[in-house]
Amino acid sequence: MMETRLSSASKEVVISGVKQTVFIGERINPTGKKKLAEALKSGDYEKIIRREAREQVAAGADILDVNVGAGGVDEVALLPEVLKMVMDEVDVPLCIDSGNPYAIEAALKVYKGKPLINSVKGEESSLQKVLPLVKEYGAAVIALTLDDNGIPKDVDSRMKVVDKIIERCVKIGIPVEDIIVDCLALSVGVDNNAGLVTLETIKKVNEKYGVNITLGASNISFSLPGREVINNAFLPIAVAAGLTCPIVDVAKVRKSIMATDLILGRDKFAMRYIKYFRQNKDLF
Ligand code: THG
């Protein structure tokens, strides 16, 4: 089992399957958030960004994902500005979330510490643009199990994408422990096999490479009612299969994952769970 080490200006976070699950906070992302999208477009985003950063860390986020991809914004200019603001507000490692390699590079230039780049895909153009940045800046990277043809429906095709990305990383000198694989959750409301394919891919990646594994976990419940209960049913199974650092709305899933870590023998004497319970009785 590999360890991925990420850092902020003064803090290190270690991700590993034998330790507690690491939470990557998803909320600095305009997807489905009209207010944040408008704020990013108008330039009047300081209050909302600082608040989302502060509240997620208070809710237990170990790492924050930062995505400013709203329609009509200049990500190359905006991503480093928002990143600087988040670094000024909280001292946790950040996950630089953009499909634009120029925005990723601009963000890397201002980042203090070792960040996580989100993400590289299995297609040539993405591999050629993103991997040299990962290497040059000594970052870690999320490898998506998809390519030009979209998200493969079956486990073997997703594994082929994983094999390809890992081979290319190793070839240019990126350590395997700095690759975090995203096995991709799709909605079980759209395809009732989607959960099984994701879980099976997680197990295979874990067995074959022992690398850390992430997921945008809330995708599992997209288009369905009562999303929170579905997300909270899915996450523990995925953690048992090998998921080590989900991208989540931390406040909505922390309880279940703390209980999951306890059940999986990752919480000695249940100290962490009990401490959390004592400090947050109102949540139980
Ligand atoms: N894999 C990787 N990165 C990712 C994803 C992934 N980054 C983006 C996304 N998927 C994960 N982040 C989010 C952020 C928001 C939502 C879902 C995933 C979301 N927002 C609510 C909505 O759309 O209804 C808004 C809720 C609110 O207002 O609080 O669902 O898969 N590597």
Side-chain angles (χ1 to χ4, degrees):
M1 189 69 225
M2 306 221 185
E3 286 187 348
T4 308
R5 288 168 186 275
L6 302 173
S7 61
S8 57
S10 67
K11 257 202 205 145
E12 186 178 63
V13 168
V14 182
I15 310 169
S16 137
V18 297
K19 291 199 162 78
Q20 65 202 40
T21 302
V22 166
F23 296 97
I24 305 179
E26 73 174 20
R27 293 188 55 87
I28 301 180
N29 184 326
T31 307
K33 291 200 193 73
K34 220 173 164 192
K35 252 190 171 163
L36 179 55
E38 288 307 323
L40 290 170
K41 272 187 253 181
S42 70
D44 189 16
Y45 52 76
E46 177 157 7
K47 261 175 107 172
I48 181 164
I49 291 289
R50 285 185 183 273
R51 177 168 47 78
E52 288 291 5
R54 204 169 48 239
E55 288 182 357
Q56 288 185 96
V57 172
D62 303 290
I63 297 168
L64 295 183
D65 187 77
V66 179
N67 181 315
V68 299
V73 311
D74 176 4
E75 275 194 71
V76 181
L78 192 58
L79 190 56
E81 288 313 309
V82 171
L83 215 65
K84 281 192 265 180
M85 201 173 272
V86 175
M87 286 190 289
D88 183 62
E89 187 67 31
V90 291
D91 188 21
V92 298
L94 302 180
C95 175
I96 299 167
D97 189 353
S98 175
N100 179 339
Y102 298 102
I104 291 175
E105 182 161 27
L108 287 167
K109 284 190 171 137
V110 304
Y111 189 78
K112 293 189 179 68
K114 178 179 173 187
L116 178 57
I117 295 175
N118 187 5
S119 50
V120 67
K121 303 177 199 162
E123 69 210 29
E124 244 356 272
S125 66
S126 177
L127 293 166
Q128 283 175 16
K129 286 176 190 146
V130 178
L131 295 187
L133 294 174
V134 177
K135 171 80 180 157
E136 183 183 346
Y137 288 87
V141 66
I142 295 178
L144 298 183
T145 53
L146 60 79
D147 58 22
D148 292 312
N149 305 317
I151 302 177
K153 286 263 174 289
D154 62 290
V155 179
D156 288 349
S157 310
R158 288 194 194 185
M159 284 307 294
K160 287 207 176 96
V161 180
V162 176
D163 293 341
K164 180 175 182 181
I165 299 179
I166 290 185
E167 190 191 312
R168 292 288 288 269
C169 284
V170 170
K171 211 172 181 178
I172 73 163
I174 297 165
V176 182
E177 59 265 30
D178 284 338
I179 307 164
I180 297 180
V181 174
D182 185 333
C183 295
L184 298 172
L186 292 175
S187 171
V188 289
V190 176
D191 171 358
N192 64 25
N193 260 324
L196 290 175
V197 172
T198 303
L199 291 167
E200 200 52 45
T201 309
I202 292 173
K203 282 186 211 157
K204 284 232 163 108
V205 171
N206 188 24
E207 277 165 21
K208 186 163 181 185
Y209 294 107
V211 292
N212 282 298
I213 295 174
T214 188
L215 276 181
S218 58
N219 293 344
I220 197 77
S221 61
F222 187 74
S223 82
L224 288 163
R227 292 184 66 176
E228 239 182 280
V229 72
I230 300 172
N231 297 344
N232 275 288
F234 177 59
L235 279 164
I237 320 172
V239 169
L243 171 68
T244 54
C245 51
I247 304 171
V248 287
D249 193 338
V250 182
K252 293 182 178 158
V253 301
R254 189 171 183 210
K255 268 198 304 185
S256 325
I257 296 188
M258 295 251 277
T260 305
D261 285 343
L262 170 61
I263 292 162
L264 293 175
R266 299 172 191 176
D267 185 359
K268 220 172 186 183
F269 305 119
M271 299 259 280
R272 187 166 165 264
Y273 178 84
I274 292 167
K275 184 173 170 207
Y276 179 73
F277 178 82
R278 284 193 177 138
Q279 291 173 349
N280 298 277
K281 283 202 172 125
D282 51 318
L283 300 178
F284 284 80

